């Protein structure tokens, strides 16, 4: 199941928002100015030569411009921005911002959605349909990335006018830390008893069993091998809810941001290998578990972690 | 350097339609060059030919200008300028690189239309104008690149153009018109039609096959009977033995004409390139901008180069007026140019008979001496009038008028030749009279004491049918080939005639409201609306009316009901429905409001085993449906996947839209 973090709304411009007369602006484009030039030349010719056919052309062009203006305006009038959201991403990767639009009663061709800091995407909306326009927003730092203002615009139908509305959804996108591969001292942390006093290197050693193909080599019980007793593998306690606790204080890295990144990588690594893990951060403890929800909880905690002297949020 | 351009065919088609009237009018080599350039641009746009580089384009531009300069030389006129502009517009597509280039190219298309409009204000040009602008607009929509069908763009363009028409009408009627041009120069010349200020024998008979319309007349009073439909054009005073010329100095204004048989009417005059207006004989006053001279000619300061409308009052039975200051000029004659004729006239006057008796004798001469009304007049070389009066005796109105005026002058009766039209048929659809070039006519006015200037038409003596039934009936059988042809057609001819009347009625409306619309017409229209542009308040009022009308239109357009979405689904839609139906059979039902991705998420949640296939089909559908990037390969893949998508029935929960929490809708 995909996990998506939907917009956090903070009152100011609640979504869904339907574009209405107050919010819609319209101005001629550069193409529109070229068209106006053609119209002006035609009108001057008509007046100068007193030529009724030229008058007709000039006024037909004026009529077209006016009709195009109305069509462009109606193309956005009544369009609803129903929601905005984004899947969390790792810092440095682009966030895909999904803007959901509901067409309402009419077809809405060539609707362009842009963010302040991101490239735009264009969409043809069908009447009575809802569609999501996805825009890539570059990310650099972990934490909450404000999506910023959203500009819904259209140059439909002739490109002579640009109609637009600006919406500030007050939404933000969650950016996980950038994972950083680094070797960690194995099995940091305790079984998560919550003492907050975890010494390094304590393993929840349970016993040994005869080696089976596939057992990790680092779990080999070297002592018995050295004694010539055969190959045995160490077994660790795998009770549910227990397991390795990834401990902030145990990461041998002085820079807090890199430490966050290393822990992030460790979380992903554990999740991938289906080894349960917990997370101990300054002021917060997440008990060991497994699963995507758990992974998200841990990564979110890392994303929001504010460290003294660090550059995090 | 091959760079296919999918928009180019549409741009070229629109430009070609815009240039069509030029192709018919300009020298063939210009049209050919323009078409070849267009075809080359098409080949390049389809990737079949390389785009010309900068050097090539500059070279061709130079070549084109050089060719036009060589062809027109020093006589570089408006037509040459149009040729250069058209060829430039034909070169422009070859340098299209950016969307802005496309826009500029299409804008040149509008100007190509503009240049075509100066050549004619015929109704067909009006249809061309609207059609060509519509197609250019469709191309303009096309280059916005929203994809979709070409026919859809055309339909949208038609819709925009139709909505633009009422706006055009309001602006056309209410936009302030001025008298005179912005700058002193620039009135283009038009071809002269009809007769000129010089009457040489053979001049008017040349016009008989010309069925073009000279003018139309709408009567407020009853339409005068056929015999009284004399339309006065210009009066000729000077005769050199062969040709009559206007030959008067600065036109002096004449006083008003009084009399009985008043007719009030409006004339819609086709441009004829001459300095006079047509009027029913005799006009009692001049319309604004024209001058009624002593000899009752309506002079205008500039040649009539555009269609005009003016309202006049004429009297068909004028009271005797003064002879005028130049009456003596109506006696100037050189008898030696045609001595036999002169001798005849002197015999008539020898007994001191009054002017009226001399006129009667002259008409008797025409009636009794075997004169034939005919277009096939033998050539008159030496002493033309002598040859005509005593040898050939075959001729057309110009021969009779010319000869009679000469005879009267020699006999001491002041006489002058009047050129105009006689006749006109009533259009049953419009109720107006149509007068054609073929009805051009010449007659004589003689000064008779107590009667004043009196109209004397010798043609009526020779061929009475000319005055009552028109030229065709008056001429001997077979002189006009197409008349017998028409007779063979029988009832079809009647039908064609009726169709002709209908078309002319439409054309008359066009002339009335569009081609002949002017400052005066606008004044009249505003007057009827109770507005006047004479005062600042009046101007403000007109502006307010215009703005209010436009505002009302825009308001109406804003509230037009939305176009109903097309009902017939395209193939993509059909395939997707089939896919949804397949899923419905295994228990995942799609409600109409659900987006494709939301539906896919729910379906995958319900049937994880089908996950990859569902997601692939949905991705293809969304790309083809909503994104411009969908290709034929995508469609083929969608078709294949949907056809093979047959999920096995498996007992499972039935998932409604409000069932288990859906995967977050990613759209």
């Amino acid at each position: 199941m995909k996990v998506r973090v939907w917009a956090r709304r903070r009152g100011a411009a609640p979504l869904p928002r339907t574009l209405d007369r107050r919010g819609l602006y319209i101005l001629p484009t550069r193409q529109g100015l070229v068209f106006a030039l053609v119209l002006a030349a035609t009108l001057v010719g008509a007046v100068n030569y007193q030529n009724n056919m030229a008058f007709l052309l000039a006024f037909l062009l004026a009529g077209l411009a006016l009709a195009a203006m109305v069509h462009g305006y109606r193309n956005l009038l009544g369009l609803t921005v129903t929601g905005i959201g984004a899947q969390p991403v790792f810092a440095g990767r682009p966030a895909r911002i999904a803007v959901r639009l509901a067409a309402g009663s009419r077809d809405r061709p060539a609707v362009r959605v842009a963010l302040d800091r991101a490239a735009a995407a264009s969409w043809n909306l069908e009447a009575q349909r809802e569609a999501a326009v996805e825009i890539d927003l570059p990310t650099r730092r972990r934490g909450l990335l404000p999506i910023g203002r959203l500009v819904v615009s259209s140059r439909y139908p002739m490109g002579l006018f640009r109609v637009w509305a600006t919406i500030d959804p007050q939404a933000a996108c969650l950016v996980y830390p950038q994972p950083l591969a680094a070797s960690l001292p194995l099995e940091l942390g305790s079984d998560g008893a919550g003492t907050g006093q975890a010494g390094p290197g304590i393993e929840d050693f349970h016993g040994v069993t005869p080696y089976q193909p596939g057992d990790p080599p680092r779990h080999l019980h070297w002592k018995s091998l050295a004694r010539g007793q055969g190959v045995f593998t160490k077994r660790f306690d795998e009770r549910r809810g227990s397991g390795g606790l990834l401990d902030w204080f145990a990461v041998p890295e002085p820079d807090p941001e890199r430490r966050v990144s290393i822990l992030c990588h460790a979380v992903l690594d554990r999740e991938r290998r289906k080894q349960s893990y917990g997370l101990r951060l300054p002021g917060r403890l997440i008990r060991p578990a497994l699963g995507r929800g758990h992974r998200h909880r841990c990564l979110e905690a890392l994303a929001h972690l504010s460290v003294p002297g660090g550059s995090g949020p | 350097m091959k760079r296919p351009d999918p928009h180019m065919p549409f741009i070229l088609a629109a430009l070609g339609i815009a240039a069509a009237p030029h192709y018919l009018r300009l020298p063939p080599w210009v049209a050919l060059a323009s078409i070849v350039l267009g075809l080359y641009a098409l080949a390049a746009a389809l990737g079949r030919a390389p785009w010309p580089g900068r050097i090539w384009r500059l070279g061709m531009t130079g070549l084109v200008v050089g060719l036009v300069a060589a062809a027109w030389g020093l006589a570089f006129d408006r037509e040459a300028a149009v040729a250069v502009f058209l060829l430039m517009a034909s070169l422009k597509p070859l340098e299209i690189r950016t969307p802005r280039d496309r826009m500029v190219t299409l804008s040149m298309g509008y100007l190509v239309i503009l240049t075509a409009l100066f050549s004619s204000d015929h109704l067909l040009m009006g249809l061309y104008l609207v059609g060509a602008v519509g197609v250019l607009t469709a191309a303009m929509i096309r280059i916005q690149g929203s994809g979709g069908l070409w026919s859809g763009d055309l339909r949208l363009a038609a819709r925009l153009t139709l909505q633009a028409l009422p706006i055009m009408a309001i602006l056309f009627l209410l936009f302030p018109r001025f008298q005179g041009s912005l700058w002193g120069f620039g009135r283009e010349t038009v071809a002269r039609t009809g007769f000129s200020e010089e009457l040489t024998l053979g001049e008017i008979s040349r016009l008989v096959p010309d069925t073009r319309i000279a003018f139309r007349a709408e009567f407020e009073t009853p339409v005068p009977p056929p015999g009284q439909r004399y339309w006065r054009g210009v009066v000729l005073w000077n005769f050199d033995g062969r040709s009559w010329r206007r030959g008067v100095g600065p036109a002096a204004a004449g006083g008003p004409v009084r009399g009985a048989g008043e007719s009030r009417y409006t004339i819609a005059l086709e441009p004829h390139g001459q300095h006079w207006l047509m009027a029913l004989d005799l006009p009692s006053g001049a319309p604004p901008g024209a001058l009624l001279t002593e000899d009752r000619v309506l002079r205008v300061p500039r040649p009539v180069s555009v269609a005009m409308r003016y309202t006049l009052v004429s009297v068909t039975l004028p009271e005797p007026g003064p002879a005028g200051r130049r009456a003596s000029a109506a006696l100037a004659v050189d008898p030696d140019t045609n001595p036999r004729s002169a001798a005849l006239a002197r015999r008539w006057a020898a007994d001191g008979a009054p002017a009226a008796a001399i006129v009667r004798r002259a008409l008797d001469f025409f009636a009794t001496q075997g004169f034939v009304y005919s277009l096939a007049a033998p050539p008159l070389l030496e002493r033309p009038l002598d040859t005509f009066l005593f040898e050939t005796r075959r001729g057309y109105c110009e021969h009779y008028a010319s000869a009679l005026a000469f005879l009267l002058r020699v006999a001491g009766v002041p006489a002058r030749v009047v050129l105009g039209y006689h006749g006109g048929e009533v259009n049953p659809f419009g109720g107006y009279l149509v007068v054609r070039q073929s009805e051009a006519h010449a007659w004589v006015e003689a000064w008779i004491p107590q009667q004043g200037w009196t109209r004397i038409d010798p043609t009526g003596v020779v061929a009475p049918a000319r005055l009552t039934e028109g030229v065709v009936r008056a001429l001997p059988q077979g002189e006009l080939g197409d008349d017998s042809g028409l007779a063979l057609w029988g009832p079809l001819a009647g039908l064609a005639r009726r169709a002709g009347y209908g078309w002319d009625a439409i054309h008359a409306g066009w002339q009335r409201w569009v081609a002949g619309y002017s400052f005066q017409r606008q004044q009249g229209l505003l007057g009827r609306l109770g507005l006047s542009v004479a005062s600042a308040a009046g101007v403000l009022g007109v502006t307010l009316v215009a703005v209010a009308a436009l505002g009302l239109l825009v308001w109406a357009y804003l509230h037009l009901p939305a176009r109903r979405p097309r009902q017939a689904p395209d193939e993509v839609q059909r395939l997707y429905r089939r896919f949804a139906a397949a899923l419905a059979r295994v228990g995942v039902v799609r409600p109409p409001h659900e987006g494709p991705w939301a539906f896919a998420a729910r379906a995958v949640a319900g049937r994880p085993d089908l996950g990859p296939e569902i997601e692939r089909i949905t991705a293809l559908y969304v790309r083809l449906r909503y994104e411009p990037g969908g290709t034929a390969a995508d469609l083929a893949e969608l078709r294949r996947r949907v056809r093979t998508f047959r999920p096995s029935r498996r007992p499972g929960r039935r998932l409604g839209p409000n069932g288990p929490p859906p995967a977050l809708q990613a759209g």
Side-chain angles (χ1 to χ4, degrees):
Chain A
M1 185 197 252
K2 285 185 188 172
V3 177
R4 294 231 163 182
V5 177
W6 283 91
R8 300 175 177 213
R9 296 166 195 164
R10 288 182 210 152
L15 297 178
R17 183 170 148 206
T18 301
L19 304 183
D20 59 12
R21 265 150 222 227
R22 274 174 310 158
L24 275 179
Y25 300 90
I26 185 162
L27 272 182
T29 58
R30 194 192 295 257
Q31 295 196 357
L33 294 180
V34 172
F35 192 85
L37 216 63
V38 169
L39 201 161
T42 309
L43 192 59
V44 167
V47 171
N48 185 47
Y49 290 98
Q50 295 283 304
N51 186 303
N52 278 322
M53 300 298 283
F55 271 120
L56 277 186
L57 177 62
F59 298 142
L60 183 62
L61 294 186
L64 269 179
L66 210 57
M69 204 166 96
V70 171
H71 276 246
Y73 192 74
R74 289 220 315 174
N75 196 35
L76 290 193
L77 191 67
L79 178 73
T80 306
V81 179
T82 53
I84 184 165
Q87 201 164 19
V89 287
F90 296 97
R93 309 273 293 280
R96 301 215 98 184
I97 311 293
V99 179
R100 289 190 67 84
L101 303 171
S105 59
R106 60 174 60 243
D107 286 351
R108 299 180 189 276
V111 174
R112 202 174 138 91
V113 180
L115 296 176
D116 275 347
R117 291 185 299 270
S122 210
W123 217 248
N124 291 330
L125 284 174
E126 267 181 74
Q128 313 299 349
R129 294 293 170 85
E130 217 173 304
V133 182
E134 291 194 338
I135 306 168
D136 284 347
L137 181 66
T139 64
R140 287 206 340 268
R141 284 172 14 191
R142 69 187 169 88
L144 273 181
L145 173 67
I147 287 173
R149 284 178 315 158
L150 184 71
V151 180
V152 182
S153 68
S154 174
R155 293 172 180 229
Y156 174 87
M158 288 169 70
L160 303 182
F161 295 93
R162 177 172 178 263
V163 186
W164 80 96
T166 306
I167 295 168
D168 190 354
Q170 302 274 343
C173 165
L174 179 62
V175 182
Y176 293 152
Q178 188 168 24
L180 180 67
S183 58
L184 282 182
L186 278 171
E187 314 307 346
L188 309 163
S190 66
D191 65 351
T195 61
Q197 189 63 57
I202 296 172
E203 298 174 0
D204 198 8
F205 182 59
H206 193 61
V208 294
T209 53
Y211 174 80
Q212 288 176 336
D215 283 346
R218 60 181 173 175
H219 289 178
L220 284 180
H221 195 240
W222 295 104
K223 283 180 192 164
S224 45
L225 185 65
R227 287 183 202 132
Q229 292 168 333
V231 187
F232 285 87
T233 311
K234 291 183 276 190
R235 288 293 171 211
F236 298 90
D237 195 350
E238 297 209 351
R239 278 172 306 165
R240 187 172 176 77
S242 74
L245 194 61
L246 302 169
D247 191 344
W248 167 266
F249 299 100
V251 180
E253 166 60 56
D255 176 38
E257 277 309 310
R258 286 175 64 83
R259 212 186 279 192
V260 168
S261 289
I262 290 169
L263 283 174
C264 169
H265 181 263
V267 165
L268 297 177
D269 188 52
R270 290 302 180 88
E271 181 67 36
R272 193 162 50 244
R273 289 199 273 139
K274 304 288 178 215
Q275 295 177 347
S276 69
Y277 55 94
L279 191 60
R280 195 154 81 99
L281 298 173
R284 180 151 188 208
L285 178 78
I286 299 172
R287 288 174 188 283
L290 258 176
R292 301 201 77 169
H294 177 64
R295 188 190 87 142
H296 171 67
R297 206 155 50 243
C298 292
L299 292 176
E300 188 180 29
L302 282 171
H304 287 306
L305 183 65
S306 91
V307 288
S311 57
Chain B
M1 185 176 58
K2 290 191 177 178
R3 176 171 44 89
D5 183 345
H7 296 305
M8 189 62 89
F10 306 108
I11 294 175
L12 290 172
L15 279 182
I17 290 172
H22 290 301
Y23 291 162
L24 300 176
R25 210 171 276 270
L26 288 174
W29 71 266
V30 176
L32 193 70
S34 167
I35 290 171
V36 166
L37 286 171
L39 288 178
Y40 188 85
L42 184 66
L46 296 176
R48 304 263 165 79
W51 290 99
R54 191 179 164 72
I55 302 294
W56 272 101
R57 293 201 308 271
L58 277 176
M60 279 195 282
T61 308
L63 180 71
V64 155
V65 174
L67 280 174
V68 171
W72 270 271
L74 286 178
F76 194 90
D77 56 1
R78 205 172 54 86
E79 193 188 56
V82 168
V84 169
F85 181 72
L86 179 67
L87 290 170
M88 291 296 158
S90 312
L91 278 165
K92 181 70 189 166
L94 291 173
E95 57 178 32
I96 287 182
R97 273 162 211 292
T98 62
R100 202 183 309 162
D101 288 338
R102 295 197 188 102
M103 167 65 194
V104 170
T105 308
L106 288 178
S107 300
M108 287 179 86
Y110 289 116
L111 294 177
V112 167
I113 296 177
L114 174 67
T115 50
L117 294 178
F118 282 109
S119 58
S120 163
D121 57 7
H122 194 268
L123 172 58
L124 289 177
M125 286 301 278
L127 296 179
Y128 149 79
L129 184 158
V130 175
V133 167
V135 175
L136 270 175
T137 304
M140 196 90 106
I141 294 166
R142 187 80 198 165
I143 63 170
Q144 299 306 311
S146 62
L149 295 172
W150 167 238
S151 62
D153 292 345
L154 254 177
R155 216 172 309 136
L156 176 58
R159 199 174 155 84
L160 281 169
T161 310
L162 279 181
Q163 293 186 353
L165 286 177
I167 299 170
M168 176 186 81
I170 292 172
L171 288 172
F172 184 81
L173 293 176
L174 296 183
F175 184 83
R177 300 304 183 89
F178 308 101
Q179 284 175 304
S181 59
L182 280 187
W183 304 296
F185 67 90
R187 187 171 285 272
E188 74 275 31
T189 54
V190 291
R192 298 188 165 201
T193 56
F195 46 81
S196 67
E197 296 192 352
E198 179 180 331
L199 176 68
T200 306
L201 296 181
E203 165 108 6
I204 290 193
S205 37
R206 169 183 67 83
L207 288 173
V208 169
D210 187 353
T211 55
R212 276 181 299 172
I213 289 168
F215 57 91
R216 298 179 181 80
E218 301 155 28
F219 280 86
E220 290 169 34
T221 50
V223 181
Q228 282 182 22
R229 292 177 194 160
Y230 279 90
W231 303 97
R232 193 179 185 84
V234 68
V235 176
L236 308 182
W237 292 79
N238 286 8
F239 185 56
D240 62 1
R242 176 172 286 276
S243 301
W244 286 87
R245 292 192 177 76
R246 173 105 179 106
V248 286
V257 178
R258 293 192 182 77
E262 262 195 14
S263 285
R264 198 179 159 78
Y265 57 97
T266 298
I267 283 189
L269 182 64
E270 297 285 330
H272 57 49
Q274 308 285 2
H275 279 88
W276 62 77
L277 305 180
M278 295 297 163
L280 186 69
D281 215 19
L282 281 166
S284 65
L291 174 76
L292 182 62
T293 60
E294 265 186 346
D295 52 0
R296 308 302 172 201
V297 172
L298 293 171
R299 299 287 291 182
V300 282
R302 278 189 289 202
V304 179
S305 61
V306 290
M308 290 187 69
R309 283 179 65 86
Y310 47 89
T311 300
L312 285 175
V313 176
S314 286
V315 290
T316 47
L317 302 169
E319 287 170 5
R325 280 167 291 168
R326 298 193 65 256
S328 58
L331 282 171
V333 69
D334 180 2
D336 299 339
T337 51
N338 294 284
R340 264 185 92 184
S341 315
L344 174 70
R346 284 200 195 94
R347 275 204 305 283
W348 293 341
D351 60 355
I358 293 173
V359 168
R360 208 158 37 244
R361 284 171 191 173
L363 291 180
D364 281 347
F365 176 74
F366 284 120
T368 56
Q369 298 298 312
F371 282 90
V372 176
Y373 181 70
S374 168
L375 278 177
L380 307 171
L381 301 172
E382 297 271 307
R383 293 174 182 144
L385 292 187
D386 283 357
T387 316
F388 168 64
L389 287 176
F390 299 104
E391 292 167 30
T392 63
R393 292 191 174 168
R394 291 174 74 85
Y396 200 60
C397 60
E398 56 208 328
H399 297 87
Y400 298 102
S402 187
L404 177 64
F406 175 82
L407 292 168
L408 291 180
R409 281 189 179 189
V410 174
V413 181
R416 57 194 187 192
V417 171
V418 184
L419 290 186
Y421 298 86
H422 182 274
E425 54 184 346
V426 177
N427 184 313
F429 293 101
Y432 53 86
L433 268 179
V434 180
V435 179
R436 297 174 187 278
Q437 294 297 349
S438 56
E439 288 163 315
H441 192 48
W443 63 91
V444 172
E445 278 180 348
W447 173 259
I448 295 171
Q450 280 90 52
Q451 289 185 37
W453 286 106
T454 307
R455 179 170 66 221
I456 298 161
D457 190 349
T459 311
V461 177
V462 178
R466 166 67 182 91
L467 302 188
T468 51
E469 293 176 56
V471 184
V472 175
R473 293 293 168 88
L475 286 171
Q477 200 107 54
E479 278 205 6
L480 279 177
D482 52 354
D483 186 40
S484 50
L486 270 182
L488 283 179
W489 282 88
L492 263 186
L495 206 68
R497 213 173 160 73
R498 284 186 68 78
Y501 282 135
W503 168 249
D504 190 70
I506 294 170
H507 198 259
W510 168 263
Q511 282 290 27
R512 175 173 187 161
W513 286 106
V514 181
Y517 195 72
S518 64
F519 174 74
Q520 284 84 6
R521 292 276 304 151
Q522 190 174 42
Q523 302 279 65
L525 179 75
L526 292 177
R528 257 185 277 168
L529 295 176
L531 293 165
S532 155
V533 285
S535 65
V539 171
L540 188 67
V542 173
T543 312
L544 283 179
V545 166
V547 169
L550 290 179
L552 206 67
L553 265 177
V554 167
W555 183 88
Y557 290 164
L558 268 173
H559 291 87
L560 276 181
R563 221 174 345 161
R564 286 192 62 78
R566 264 172 310 167
Q567 290 303 310
D570 54 17
E571 189 186 359
V572 175
Q573 189 76 26
R574 272 203 314 277
L575 289 169
Y576 187 70
R577 284 193 189 160
R578 188 166 157 182
F579 162 73
L583 280 172
R585 279 196 294 277
V586 299
V588 190
V589 179
R590 177 177 181 240
H593 58 78
E594 195 172 40
W597 278 117
F599 176 55
R602 226 158 39 74
V604 174
R607 292 289 301 265
D609 56 318
L610 298 172
E613 195 62 18
I614 292 174
E615 287 188 352
R616 183 66 196 153
I617 288 177
T618 306
L620 284 167
Y621 168 69
V622 167
R623 186 181 311 159
L624 286 162
R625 193 90 189 124
Y626 301 109
E627 294 171 21
T631 62
D634 288 338
L635 181 60
E637 187 185 343
L638 179 67
R639 209 179 288 140
R640 185 167 48 76
R641 283 185 187 272
V642 168
R643 282 185 186 152
T644 54
F645 183 74
R646 293 208 180 82
S648 59
R649 219 172 273 261
R650 192 187 66 171
R653 296 165 302 158
R654 194 167 183 84
L655 296 174
N658 300 320
L664 275 164
Q665 305 190 348

